Amino acid sequence: MSEDLKVTEEARAIKAYIEQAWSRLFCVKLEVPLSEVFSEPEETGLKHIWRYGSADLVVFRNAKPVAIIEPGGGQHFDEKQSVNDRRKWKLAEQNGVRCLHVMNGVMKSLSKRKWRALIGSYLFPTTKPIN
């Protein structure tokens, strides 16, 4: 199966949006093997997903991954897919990378302002001051 066939229209649309909105700040790659994004994890339970898994979209800033965005539908509720998604999120979290799962159709259902705010909240995380 060609890697190109795995890339959905939703993934292409999100990539195009980020490149249009923030082209000078971010580089977006589609269908990226997790082993190319992260170093090998020490935790045994994450090694399989690291070795064989991929991310639909990886957003890089200054050549470092800052976010993984996974558009998709009902297949993410499948037990096996759900377990793999949790492992992927854990691997990303351990590496300081934020994750967003976007259900198909969300981009079209939100106003441009709300969509920009949603994506921006993952690309530009804010830290709250400690009181």
Side-chain angles (χ1 to χ4, degrees), residues 83-130:
V83 168
N84 284 336
D85 284 347
R86 285 193 303 272
R87 288 179 179 145
K88 188 184 303 186
W89 297 159
K90 187 170 184 182
L91 180 63
E93 181 182 303
Q94 288 179 352
N95 286 279
V97 175
R98 297 177 57 111
C99 298
L100 173 64
H101 178 101
V102 180
M103 294 301 290
N104 289 334
V106 168
M107 183 176 180
K108 292 178 183 174
S109 69
L110 294 177
S111 68
K112 288 182 182 180
R113 185 171 159 232
K114 287 183 179 179
W115 178 248
R116 184 176 178 93
L118 173 65
I119 296 297
S121 70
Y122 282 83
L123 301 182
F124 302 99
T126 58
T127 55
K128 295 182 180 182
I130 299 173

Side-chain angles (χ1 to χ4, degrees), residues 14 16 19 25-26 32-33 38 41 47 58 67 69-70 97 103 111 116-117 125 127:
I14 294 169
E19 289 176 339
L25 298 176
F26 301 106
V32 183
F38 307 117
K47 288 185 186 256
V58 181
I69 302 174
E70 294 278 326
V97 175
M103 294 301 290
S111 68
R116 184 176 178 93
T127 55

Side-chain angles (χ1 to χ4, degrees), residues 48-100:
H48 186 269
I49 196 71
W50 172 81
R51 190 171 287 121
Y52 300 107
S54 64
D56 291 349
L57 287 111
V58 181
V59 183
F60 296 87
R61 186 171 189 175
N62 299 324
K64 293 180 183 174
V66 294
I68 289 176
I69 302 174
E70 294 278 326
Q75 77 275 12
H76 287 276
F77 297 112
D78 173 70
E79 187 175 338
K80 183 179 178 186
Q81 183 66 45
S82 181
V83 168
N84 284 336
D85 284 347
R86 285 193 303 272
R87 288 179 179 145
K88 188 184 303 186
W89 297 159
K90 187 170 184 182
L91 180 63
E93 181 182 303
Q94 288 179 352
N95 286 279
V97 175
R98 297 177 57 111
C99 298
L100 173 64

